[in-house]
């Protein structure tokens, strides 16, 4: 893991630890969606291109 990835993960940890109950509900929903796509919230947060690539592949598979 690179230092940049560690910083991103720390930011996500801080976001979760300091979130209000409403924010936690939103984070939980995002986490659920990413899991349904076979990804983890941490992976998506650190590398958002993963999510974009995953959705792009699904879109092209529909054609």
């Amino acid at each position: 893991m690179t230092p940049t990835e560690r910083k991103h993960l720390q930011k996500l940890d801080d976001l979760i630890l300091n979130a209000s109950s409403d924010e936690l509900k939103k984070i939980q929903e995002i986490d659920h969606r990413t899991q349904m796509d076979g990804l983890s919230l941490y992976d998506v947060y650190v590398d958002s291109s993963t999510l974009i690539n995953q959705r792009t592949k699904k879109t092209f598979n529909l054609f």
Side-chain angles (χ1 to χ4, degrees):
M1 179 178 298
T2 68
T4 302
E5 290 172 328
R6 285 193 178 117
K7 286 180 186 178
H8 286 273
L9 291 178
Q10 183 62 50
K11 285 182 183 181
L12 182 57
D13 287 342
D14 293 342
L15 177 73
I16 292 169
L17 291 172
N18 297 314
S20 68
S21 61
D22 288 336
E23 291 169 330
L24 283 174
K25 287 178 186 177
K26 290 176 185 177
I27 294 168
Q28 195 172 30
E29 177 61 29
I30 293 167
D31 184 34
H32 183 335
R33 289 181 190 176
T34 59
Q35 287 181 37
M36 296 300 287
D37 286 339
L39 304 167
S40 79
L41 181 62
Y42 282 94
D43 289 339
V44 172
Y45 189 82
V46 170
D47 182 12
S48 60
S49 65
T50 302
L51 183 60
I52 293 166
N53 290 336
Q54 183 79 5
R55 289 203 175 147
T56 301
K57 287 178 186 174
K58 284 184 178 182
T59 300
F60 285 120
N61 285 336
L62 294 176
F63 295 107

Short mmCIF file of all heavy atoms in Angstrom, two decimals:
data_model
loop_
_atom_site.label_atom_id
_atom_site.label_comp_id
_atom_site.label_asym_id
_atom_site.label_seq_id
_atom_site.Cartn_x
_atom_site.Cartn_y
_atom_site.Cartn_z
N MET A 1 0.84 -1.17 0.00
CA MET A 1 0.00 0.00 0.00
C MET A 1 0.90 1.24 0.00
O MET A 1 1.85 1.32 0.76
CB MET A 1 -0.90 -0.01 1.24
CG MET A 1 -1.80 1.17 1.34
SD MET A 1 -2.89 1.13 2.77
CE MET A 1 -3.82 -0.33 2.43
N THR A 2 0.55 2.17 -0.85
CA THR A 2 1.36 3.38 -0.97
C THR A 2 0.99 4.37 0.14
O THR A 2 -0.10 4.28 0.73
CB THR A 2 1.13 4.06 -2.33
OG1 THR A 2 -0.20 4.56 -2.37
CG2 THR A 2 1.37 3.11 -3.49
N PRO A 3 1.86 5.32 0.41
CA PRO A 3 1.53 6.35 1.40
C PRO A 3 0.27 7.14 1.03
O PRO A 3 -0.52 7.49 1.91
CB PRO A 3 2.77 7.27 1.39
CG PRO A 3 3.89 6.39 0.96
CD PRO A 3 3.27 5.43 -0.03
N THR A 4 0.07 7.36 -0.24
CA THR A 4 -1.14 8.07 -0.68
C THR A 4 -2.39 7.26 -0.37
O THR A 4 -3.40 7.80 0.11
CB THR A 4 -1.07 8.38 -2.19
OG1 THR A 4 0.10 9.15 -2.44
CG2 THR A 4 -2.30 9.13 -2.66
N GLU A 5 -2.33 5.95 -0.63
CA GLU A 5 -3.48 5.09 -0.31
C GLU A 5 -3.74 5.08 1.19
O GLU A 5 -4.90 5.11 1.61
CB GLU A 5 -3.21 3.67 -0.80
CG GLU A 5 -3.23 3.52 -2.31
CD GLU A 5 -2.77 2.17 -2.79
OE1 GLU A 5 -1.91 1.54 -2.12
OE2 GLU A 5 -3.27 1.72 -3.83
N ARG A 6 -2.69 5.07 1.97
CA ARG A 6 -2.86 5.10 3.44
C ARG A 6 -3.54 6.39 3.88
O ARG A 6 -4.40 6.38 4.76
CB ARG A 6 -1.51 4.95 4.13
CG ARG A 6 -1.00 3.55 4.09
CD ARG A 6 0.18 3.35 5.04
NE ARG A 6 0.58 1.96 4.96
CZ ARG A 6 1.75 1.55 4.54
NH1 ARG A 6 2.68 2.43 4.19
NH2 ARG A 6 2.03 0.27 4.49
N LYS A 7 -3.17 7.50 3.26
CA LYS A 7 -3.80 8.79 3.60
C LYS A 7 -5.28 8.76 3.25
O LYS A 7 -6.11 9.24 4.02
CB LYS A 7 -3.11 9.93 2.86
CG LYS A 7 -1.76 10.29 3.41
CD LYS A 7 -1.14 11.43 2.62
CE LYS A 7 0.28 11.69 3.09
NZ LYS A 7 0.91 12.77 2.29
N HIS A 8 -5.60 8.19 2.10
CA HIS A 8 -7.01 8.10 1.69
C HIS A 8 -7.80 7.23 2.67
O HIS A 8 -8.93 7.57 3.03
CB HIS A 8 -7.13 7.53 0.28
CG HIS A 8 -6.74 8.49 -0.79
ND1 HIS A 8 -7.60 9.39 -1.35
CD2 HIS A 8 -5.55 8.68 -1.41
CE1 HIS A 8 -6.98 10.10 -2.26
NE2 HIS A 8 -5.73 9.68 -2.33
N LEU A 9 -7.22 6.12 3.06
CA LEU A 9 -7.90 5.23 4.01
C LEU A 9 -8.09 5.90 5.36
O LEU A 9 -9.14 5.75 6.00
CB LEU A 9 -7.13 3.92 4.17
CG LEU A 9 -7.14 3.01 2.95
CD1 LEU A 9 -6.30 1.77 3.22
CD2 LEU A 9 -8.55 2.63 2.56
N GLN A 10 -7.10 6.68 5.78
CA GLN A 10 -7.22 7.39 7.05
C GLN A 10 -8.34 8.43 6.97
O GLN A 10 -9.11 8.61 7.90
CB GLN A 10 -5.90 8.07 7.43
CG GLN A 10 -5.94 8.77 8.78
CD GLN A 10 -6.22 7.81 9.91
OE1 GLN A 10 -5.57 6.79 10.03
NE2 GLN A 10 -7.19 8.14 10.74
N LYS A 11 -8.45 9.10 5.83
CA LYS A 11 -9.53 10.08 5.64
C LYS A 11 -10.89 9.40 5.70
O LYS A 11 -11.83 9.93 6.30
CB LYS A 11 -9.37 10.80 4.30
CG LYS A 11 -8.28 11.83 4.28
CD LYS A 11 -8.24 12.52 2.93
CE LYS A 11 -7.11 13.52 2.85
NZ LYS A 11 -7.07 14.20 1.54
N LEU A 12 -11.00 8.23 5.08
CA LEU A 12 -12.26 7.50 5.12
C LEU A 12 -12.57 7.05 6.55
O LEU A 12 -13.71 7.19 7.01
CB LEU A 12 -12.24 6.31 4.18
CG LEU A 12 -13.54 5.49 4.11
CD1 LEU A 12 -14.73 6.37 3.72
CD2 LEU A 12 -13.39 4.33 3.15
N ASP A 13 -11.57 6.55 7.24
CA ASP A 13 -11.77 6.16 8.64
C ASP A 13 -12.26 7.34 9.47
O ASP A 13 -13.20 7.22 10.25
CB ASP A 13 -10.48 5.61 9.25
CG ASP A 13 -10.12 4.23 8.74
OD1 ASP A 13 -11.01 3.54 8.20
OD2 ASP A 13 -8.95 3.84 8.90
N ASP A 14 -11.61 8.49 9.30
CA ASP A 14 -12.01 9.69 10.04
C ASP A 14 -13.43 10.12 9.68
O ASP A 14 -14.20 10.51 10.56
CB ASP A 14 -11.04 10.84 9.77
CG ASP A 14 -9.66 10.58 10.34
OD1 ASP A 14 -9.51 9.70 11.23
OD2 ASP A 14 -8.70 11.26 9.89
N LEU A 15 -13.75 10.02 8.40
CA LEU A 15 -15.10 10.38 7.95
C LEU A 15 -16.15 9.50 8.64
O LEU A 15 -17.15 10.01 9.15
CB LEU A 15 -15.20 10.21 6.43
CG LEU A 15 -16.56 10.46 5.80
CD1 LEU A 15 -16.86 11.96 5.80
CD2 LEU A 15 -16.59 9.92 4.39
N ILE A 16 -15.88 8.21 8.70
CA ILE A 16 -16.83 7.28 9.32
C ILE A 16 -16.90 7.51 10.83
O ILE A 16 -17.99 7.57 11.41
CB ILE A 16 -16.44 5.83 9.00
CG1 ILE A 16 -16.66 5.57 7.50
CG2 ILE A 16 -17.24 4.84 9.84
CD1 ILE A 16 -16.06 4.27 7.00
N LEU A 17 -15.76 7.65 11.46
CA LEU A 17 -15.73 7.81 12.92
C LEU A 17 -16.38 9.11 13.39
O LEU A 17 -16.91 9.17 14.50
CB LEU A 17 -14.29 7.74 13.43
CG LEU A 17 -13.64 6.36 13.33
CD1 LEU A 17 -12.15 6.46 13.67
CD2 LEU A 17 -14.34 5.37 14.25
N ASN A 18 -16.35 10.13 12.56
CA ASN A 18 -16.89 11.43 12.94
C ASN A 18 -18.25 11.74 12.31
O ASN A 18 -18.75 12.84 12.44
CB ASN A 18 -15.89 12.54 12.58
CG ASN A 18 -14.59 12.38 13.33
OD1 ASN A 18 -14.58 12.16 14.52
ND2 ASN A 18 -13.48 12.49 12.61
N ALA A 19 -18.83 10.77 11.66
CA ALA A 19 -20.10 10.97 10.94
C ALA A 19 -21.28 11.03 11.90
O ALA A 19 -21.31 10.36 12.94
CB ALA A 19 -20.30 9.86 9.93
N SER A 20 -22.26 11.83 11.51
CA SER A 20 -23.53 11.86 12.24
C SER A 20 -24.32 10.60 11.89
O SER A 20 -23.95 9.85 10.97
CB SER A 20 -24.32 13.10 11.85
OG SER A 20 -24.75 13.00 10.51
N SER A 21 -25.41 10.39 12.57
CA SER A 21 -26.21 9.19 12.28
C SER A 21 -26.77 9.23 10.85
O SER A 21 -26.83 8.20 10.18
CB SER A 21 -27.32 9.01 13.30
OG SER A 21 -28.20 10.12 13.28
N ASP A 22 -27.16 10.41 10.38
CA ASP A 22 -27.65 10.52 9.01
C ASP A 22 -26.53 10.24 8.00
O ASP A 22 -26.75 9.58 6.99
CB ASP A 22 -28.23 11.91 8.74
CG ASP A 22 -29.56 12.13 9.44
OD1 ASP A 22 -30.25 11.13 9.73
OD2 ASP A 22 -29.92 13.29 9.66
N GLU A 23 -25.34 10.76 8.27
CA GLU A 23 -24.21 10.51 7.38
C GLU A 23 -23.84 9.03 7.38
O GLU A 23 -23.51 8.48 6.33
CB GLU A 23 -23.01 11.35 7.80
CG GLU A 23 -23.21 12.84 7.57
CD GLU A 23 -22.15 13.70 8.22
OE1 GLU A 23 -21.60 13.31 9.27
OE2 GLU A 23 -21.88 14.78 7.68
N LEU A 24 -23.91 8.39 8.54
CA LEU A 24 -23.61 6.97 8.62
C LEU A 24 -24.59 6.14 7.79
O LEU A 24 -24.21 5.17 7.15
CB LEU A 24 -23.61 6.48 10.07
CG LEU A 24 -22.38 6.83 10.89
CD1 LEU A 24 -22.58 6.42 12.34
CD2 LEU A 24 -21.14 6.18 10.31
N LYS A 25 -25.85 6.55 7.78
CA LYS A 25 -26.85 5.84 6.97
C LYS A 25 -26.50 5.95 5.49
O LYS A 25 -26.61 4.98 4.75
CB LYS A 25 -28.24 6.40 7.23
CG LYS A 25 -28.80 6.01 8.58
CD LYS A 25 -30.15 6.63 8.81
CE LYS A 25 -30.63 6.34 10.22
NZ LYS A 25 -31.91 7.00 10.52
N LYS A 26 -26.06 7.13 5.06
CA LYS A 26 -25.68 7.32 3.67
C LYS A 26 -24.44 6.49 3.33
O LYS A 26 -24.39 5.86 2.28
CB LYS A 26 -25.42 8.80 3.39
CG LYS A 26 -26.66 9.64 3.43
CD LYS A 26 -26.35 11.11 3.24
CE LYS A 26 -27.60 11.95 3.40
NZ LYS A 26 -27.30 13.39 3.29
N ILE A 27 -23.47 6.51 4.22
CA ILE A 27 -22.25 5.72 4.01
C ILE A 27 -22.60 4.24 3.95
O ILE A 27 -22.08 3.50 3.11
CB ILE A 27 -21.21 6.00 5.12
CG1 ILE A 27 -20.72 7.45 5.02
CG2 ILE A 27 -20.05 5.02 5.05
CD1 ILE A 27 -19.92 7.91 6.21
N GLN A 28 -23.50 3.81 4.81
CA GLN A 28 -23.92 2.41 4.84
C GLN A 28 -24.58 2.02 3.52
O GLN A 28 -24.34 0.93 2.99
CB GLN A 28 -24.88 2.20 6.00
CG GLN A 28 -25.12 0.78 6.37
CD GLN A 28 -25.94 0.69 7.66
OE1 GLN A 28 -26.76 1.55 7.96
NE2 GLN A 28 -25.69 -0.36 8.41
N GLU A 29 -25.40 2.90 2.96
CA GLU A 29 -26.05 2.62 1.69
C GLU A 29 -25.02 2.52 0.56
O GLU A 29 -25.09 1.64 -0.29
CB GLU A 29 -27.08 3.71 1.36
CG GLU A 29 -27.76 3.55 0.03
CD GLU A 29 -28.55 2.27 -0.12
OE1 GLU A 29 -29.05 1.74 0.89
OE2 GLU A 29 -28.66 1.78 -1.26
N ILE A 30 -24.06 3.43 0.57
CA ILE A 30 -23.00 3.38 -0.44
C ILE A 30 -22.21 2.09 -0.30
O ILE A 30 -21.89 1.42 -1.28
CB ILE A 30 -22.08 4.60 -0.32
CG1 ILE A 30 -22.85 5.87 -0.68
CG2 ILE A 30 -20.83 4.45 -1.18
CD1 ILE A 30 -22.15 7.16 -0.31
N ASP A 31 -21.91 1.70 0.94
CA ASP A 31 -21.17 0.46 1.19
C ASP A 31 -21.96 -0.74 0.67
O ASP A 31 -21.41 -1.63 0.04
CB ASP A 31 -20.90 0.33 2.68
CG ASP A 31 -20.06 -0.89 3.03
OD1 ASP A 31 -19.18 -1.27 2.22
OD2 ASP A 31 -20.27 -1.47 4.11
N HIS A 32 -23.25 -0.73 0.91
CA HIS A 32 -24.10 -1.83 0.44
C HIS A 32 -24.06 -1.91 -1.10
O HIS A 32 -23.90 -2.99 -1.67
CB HIS A 32 -25.53 -1.63 0.92
CG HIS A 32 -26.48 -2.72 0.55
ND1 HIS A 32 -26.33 -3.55 -0.52
CD2 HIS A 32 -27.64 -3.12 1.13
CE1 HIS A 32 -27.34 -4.39 -0.60
NE2 HIS A 32 -28.14 -4.16 0.38
N ARG A 33 -24.18 -0.76 -1.76
CA ARG A 33 -24.16 -0.74 -3.23
C ARG A 33 -22.82 -1.25 -3.77
O ARG A 33 -22.80 -1.99 -4.75
CB ARG A 33 -24.41 0.67 -3.74
CG ARG A 33 -25.81 1.13 -3.55
CD ARG A 33 -26.00 2.51 -4.10
NE ARG A 33 -27.27 3.07 -3.71
CZ ARG A 33 -27.66 4.29 -4.01
NH1 ARG A 33 -26.86 5.09 -4.68
NH2 ARG A 33 -28.82 4.72 -3.61
N THR A 34 -21.73 -0.81 -3.17
CA THR A 34 -20.43 -1.27 -3.67
C THR A 34 -20.27 -2.76 -3.45
O THR A 34 -19.72 -3.45 -4.31
CB THR A 34 -19.26 -0.50 -3.00
OG1 THR A 34 -19.31 -0.67 -1.59
CG2 THR A 34 -19.30 0.97 -3.36
N GLN A 35 -20.78 -3.29 -2.34
CA GLN A 35 -20.69 -4.73 -2.09
C GLN A 35 -21.51 -5.50 -3.11
O GLN A 35 -21.10 -6.58 -3.56
CB GLN A 35 -21.17 -5.06 -0.68
CG GLN A 35 -20.19 -4.64 0.39
CD GLN A 35 -20.69 -5.00 1.77
OE1 GLN A 35 -21.30 -6.03 1.97
NE2 GLN A 35 -20.42 -4.13 2.73
N MET A 36 -22.66 -4.95 -3.50
CA MET A 36 -23.49 -5.61 -4.51
C MET A 36 -22.78 -5.64 -5.86
O MET A 36 -23.05 -6.51 -6.68
CB MET A 36 -24.85 -4.90 -4.64
CG MET A 36 -25.69 -4.97 -3.37
SD MET A 36 -26.07 -6.65 -2.86
CE MET A 36 -27.26 -7.10 -4.10
N ASP A 37 -21.87 -4.69 -6.07
CA ASP A 37 -21.07 -4.67 -7.30
C ASP A 37 -19.80 -5.51 -7.16
O ASP A 37 -18.97 -5.54 -8.06
CB ASP A 37 -20.68 -3.23 -7.67
CG ASP A 37 -21.84 -2.44 -8.23
OD1 ASP A 37 -22.80 -3.06 -8.72
OD2 ASP A 37 -21.77 -1.19 -8.21
N GLY A 38 -19.64 -6.17 -6.00
CA GLY A 38 -18.46 -7.01 -5.78
C GLY A 38 -17.23 -6.23 -5.39
O GLY A 38 -16.11 -6.72 -5.53
N LEU A 39 -17.43 -5.02 -4.88
CA LEU A 39 -16.32 -4.17 -4.48
C LEU A 39 -16.42 -3.84 -3.00
O LEU A 39 -17.43 -4.10 -2.37
CB LEU A 39 -16.35 -2.87 -5.29
CG LEU A 39 -16.34 -3.03 -6.81
CD1 LEU A 39 -16.69 -1.72 -7.48
CD2 LEU A 39 -14.98 -3.53 -7.26
N SER A 40 -15.38 -3.24 -2.47
CA SER A 40 -15.45 -2.78 -1.08
C SER A 40 -15.44 -1.27 -1.06
O SER A 40 -14.91 -0.61 -1.97
CB SER A 40 -14.28 -3.31 -0.26
OG SER A 40 -13.11 -2.57 -0.51
N LEU A 41 -16.01 -0.70 -0.03
CA LEU A 41 -16.05 0.75 0.12
C LEU A 41 -14.65 1.33 0.14
O LEU A 41 -14.38 2.35 -0.49
CB LEU A 41 -16.79 1.11 1.41
CG LEU A 41 -16.95 2.60 1.71
CD1 LEU A 41 -17.77 3.28 0.64
CD2 LEU A 41 -17.59 2.79 3.07
N TYR A 42 -13.73 0.66 0.82
CA TYR A 42 -12.35 1.14 0.90
C TYR A 42 -11.69 1.13 -0.48
O TYR A 42 -11.02 2.09 -0.85
CB TYR A 42 -11.54 0.30 1.88
CG TYR A 42 -11.82 0.65 3.31
CD1 TYR A 42 -12.76 -0.05 4.05
CD2 TYR A 42 -11.13 1.69 3.93
CE1 TYR A 42 -13.02 0.28 5.36
CE2 TYR A 42 -11.38 2.02 5.25
CZ TYR A 42 -12.33 1.32 5.97
OH TYR A 42 -12.58 1.66 7.27
N ASP A 43 -11.88 0.07 -1.24
CA ASP A 43 -11.29 0.01 -2.58
C ASP A 43 -11.82 1.13 -3.47
O ASP A 43 -11.06 1.76 -4.20
CB ASP A 43 -11.58 -1.34 -3.25
CG ASP A 43 -10.81 -2.47 -2.63
OD1 ASP A 43 -9.78 -2.21 -1.97
OD2 ASP A 43 -11.24 -3.63 -2.80
N VAL A 44 -13.10 1.35 -3.40
CA VAL A 44 -13.71 2.39 -4.23
C VAL A 44 -13.23 3.76 -3.79
O VAL A 44 -12.93 4.62 -4.62
CB VAL A 44 -15.25 2.30 -4.17
CG1 VAL A 44 -15.89 3.49 -4.86
CG2 VAL A 44 -15.71 1.00 -4.80
N TYR A 45 -13.12 3.98 -2.50
CA TYR A 45 -12.68 5.27 -2.00
C TYR A 45 -11.24 5.55 -2.39
O TYR A 45 -10.90 6.65 -2.81
CB TYR A 45 -12.84 5.32 -0.48
CG TYR A 45 -12.60 6.71 0.09
CD1 TYR A 45 -13.61 7.66 0.07
CD2 TYR A 45 -11.37 7.05 0.65
CE1 TYR A 45 -13.41 8.93 0.58
CE2 TYR A 45 -11.15 8.32 1.16
CZ TYR A 45 -12.18 9.24 1.13
OH TYR A 45 -11.97 10.50 1.63
N VAL A 46 -10.39 4.54 -2.28
CA VAL A 46 -8.97 4.71 -2.62
C VAL A 46 -8.78 4.83 -4.13
O VAL A 46 -7.99 5.62 -4.61
CB VAL A 46 -8.12 3.55 -2.06
CG1 VAL A 46 -6.71 3.58 -2.61
CG2 VAL A 46 -8.10 3.61 -0.54
N ASP A 47 -9.55 4.05 -4.89
CA ASP A 47 -9.39 4.03 -6.35
C ASP A 47 -10.76 4.11 -7.00
O ASP A 47 -11.33 3.09 -7.37
CB ASP A 47 -8.65 2.78 -6.79
CG ASP A 47 -8.41 2.73 -8.29
OD1 ASP A 47 -8.60 3.75 -8.97
OD2 ASP A 47 -8.03 1.65 -8.77
N SER A 48 -11.28 5.32 -7.14
CA SER A 48 -12.63 5.46 -7.68
C SER A 48 -12.73 5.00 -9.13
O SER A 48 -13.81 4.72 -9.61
CB SER A 48 -13.11 6.91 -7.56
OG SER A 48 -12.25 7.78 -8.26
N SER A 49 -11.61 4.88 -9.83
CA SER A 49 -11.67 4.38 -11.20
C SER A 49 -12.13 2.93 -11.24
O SER A 49 -12.69 2.48 -12.22
CB SER A 49 -10.32 4.53 -11.89
OG SER A 49 -9.35 3.71 -11.28
N THR A 50 -11.95 2.21 -10.15
CA THR A 50 -12.43 0.83 -10.06
C THR A 50 -13.93 0.78 -10.25
O THR A 50 -14.45 -0.01 -11.02
CB THR A 50 -12.08 0.23 -8.68
OG1 THR A 50 -10.68 0.30 -8.50
CG2 THR A 50 -12.54 -1.21 -8.57
N LEU A 51 -14.64 1.65 -9.57
CA LEU A 51 -16.09 1.68 -9.66
C LEU A 51 -16.53 2.11 -11.05
O LEU A 51 -17.43 1.53 -11.64
CB LEU A 51 -16.67 2.64 -8.62
CG LEU A 51 -18.19 2.73 -8.55
CD1 LEU A 51 -18.80 1.38 -8.22
CD2 LEU A 51 -18.60 3.75 -7.52
N ILE A 52 -15.87 3.11 -11.60
CA ILE A 52 -16.23 3.59 -12.93
C ILE A 52 -16.02 2.48 -13.95
O ILE A 52 -16.89 2.23 -14.78
CB ILE A 52 -15.40 4.84 -13.29
CG1 ILE A 52 -15.81 6.00 -12.38
CG2 ILE A 52 -15.58 5.20 -14.75
CD1 ILE A 52 -14.86 7.18 -12.40
N ASN A 53 -14.89 1.79 -13.89
CA ASN A 53 -14.62 0.70 -14.83
C ASN A 53 -15.63 -0.42 -14.67
O ASN A 53 -16.07 -1.00 -15.66
CB ASN A 53 -13.20 0.16 -14.64
CG ASN A 53 -12.15 1.16 -15.09
OD1 ASN A 53 -12.42 2.02 -15.90
ND2 ASN A 53 -10.97 1.04 -14.53
N GLN A 54 -15.99 -0.76 -13.45
CA GLN A 54 -16.95 -1.83 -13.19
C GLN A 54 -18.30 -1.50 -13.82
O GLN A 54 -18.91 -2.32 -14.48
CB GLN A 54 -17.10 -2.03 -11.68
CG GLN A 54 -18.02 -3.15 -11.27
CD GLN A 54 -17.36 -4.51 -11.38
OE1 GLN A 54 -16.19 -4.63 -11.66
NE2 GLN A 54 -18.12 -5.53 -11.15
N ARG A 55 -18.77 -0.27 -13.63
CA ARG A 55 -20.07 0.11 -14.18
C ARG A 55 -20.02 0.21 -15.69
O ARG A 55 -20.98 -0.12 -16.36
CB ARG A 55 -20.52 1.44 -13.56
CG ARG A 55 -20.89 1.25 -12.11
CD ARG A 55 -21.82 2.30 -11.62
NE ARG A 55 -22.22 1.97 -10.26
CZ ARG A 55 -22.47 2.85 -9.34
NH1 ARG A 55 -22.37 4.12 -9.60
NH2 ARG A 55 -22.83 2.46 -8.12
N THR A 56 -18.91 0.65 -16.23
CA THR A 56 -18.76 0.73 -17.67
C THR A 56 -18.85 -0.66 -18.29
O THR A 56 -19.55 -0.86 -19.28
CB THR A 56 -17.41 1.38 -18.05
OG1 THR A 56 -17.36 2.69 -17.47
CG2 THR A 56 -17.25 1.50 -19.54
N LYS A 57 -18.18 -1.63 -17.70
CA LYS A 57 -18.23 -3.00 -18.20
C LYS A 57 -19.67 -3.53 -18.17
O LYS A 57 -20.11 -4.17 -19.11
CB LYS A 57 -17.33 -3.90 -17.37
CG LYS A 57 -15.85 -3.68 -17.62
CD LYS A 57 -15.01 -4.56 -16.74
CE LYS A 57 -13.53 -4.24 -16.88
NZ LYS A 57 -12.71 -4.98 -15.94
N LYS A 58 -20.38 -3.27 -17.08
CA LYS A 58 -21.76 -3.73 -16.98
C LYS A 58 -22.63 -3.09 -18.05
O LYS A 58 -23.48 -3.74 -18.65
CB LYS A 58 -22.34 -3.42 -15.60
CG LYS A 58 -21.84 -4.33 -14.52
CD LYS A 58 -22.53 -4.02 -13.22
CE LYS A 58 -22.06 -4.97 -12.14
NZ LYS A 58 -22.76 -4.73 -10.87
N THR A 59 -22.41 -1.81 -18.31
CA THR A 59 -23.19 -1.11 -19.33
C THR A 59 -22.95 -1.73 -20.70
O THR A 59 -23.89 -2.00 -21.44
CB THR A 59 -22.81 0.38 -19.36
OG1 THR A 59 -23.08 0.94 -18.06
CG2 THR A 59 -23.62 1.12 -20.39
N PHE A 60 -21.69 -1.99 -21.03
CA PHE A 60 -21.39 -2.55 -22.34
C PHE A 60 -21.89 -3.99 -22.46
O PHE A 60 -22.19 -4.43 -23.56
CB PHE A 60 -19.89 -2.47 -22.62
CG PHE A 60 -19.44 -1.09 -22.98
CD1 PHE A 60 -18.49 -0.44 -22.21
CD2 PHE A 60 -19.95 -0.43 -24.07
CE1 PHE A 60 -18.08 0.84 -22.53
CE2 PHE A 60 -19.55 0.85 -24.41
CZ PHE A 60 -18.60 1.49 -23.63
N ASN A 61 -21.98 -4.70 -21.37
CA ASN A 61 -22.49 -6.07 -21.43
C ASN A 61 -23.98 -6.12 -21.74
O ASN A 61 -24.50 -7.14 -22.14
CB ASN A 61 -22.22 -6.81 -20.11
CG ASN A 61 -20.77 -7.19 -19.97
OD1 ASN A 61 -20.05 -7.32 -20.96
ND2 ASN A 61 -20.32 -7.36 -18.75
N LEU A 62 -24.65 -4.98 -21.56
CA LEU A 62 -26.09 -4.95 -21.85
C LEU A 62 -26.37 -4.86 -23.34
O LEU A 62 -27.46 -5.16 -23.79
CB LEU A 62 -26.72 -3.74 -21.15
CG LEU A 62 -26.72 -3.76 -19.62
CD1 LEU A 62 -27.29 -2.45 -19.08
CD2 LEU A 62 -27.52 -4.93 -19.09
N PHE A 63 -25.38 -4.46 -24.13
CA PHE A 63 -25.58 -4.28 -25.57
C PHE A 63 -25.24 -5.51 -26.34
O PHE A 63 -24.51 -6.31 -26.12
CB PHE A 63 -24.75 -3.10 -26.10
CG PHE A 63 -25.20 -1.80 -25.52
CD1 PHE A 63 -24.44 -1.14 -24.57
CD2 PHE A 63 -26.41 -1.23 -25.92
CE1 PHE A 63 -24.87 0.06 -24.04
CE2 PHE A 63 -26.81 -0.02 -25.40
CZ PHE A 63 -26.04 0.62 -24.45
#
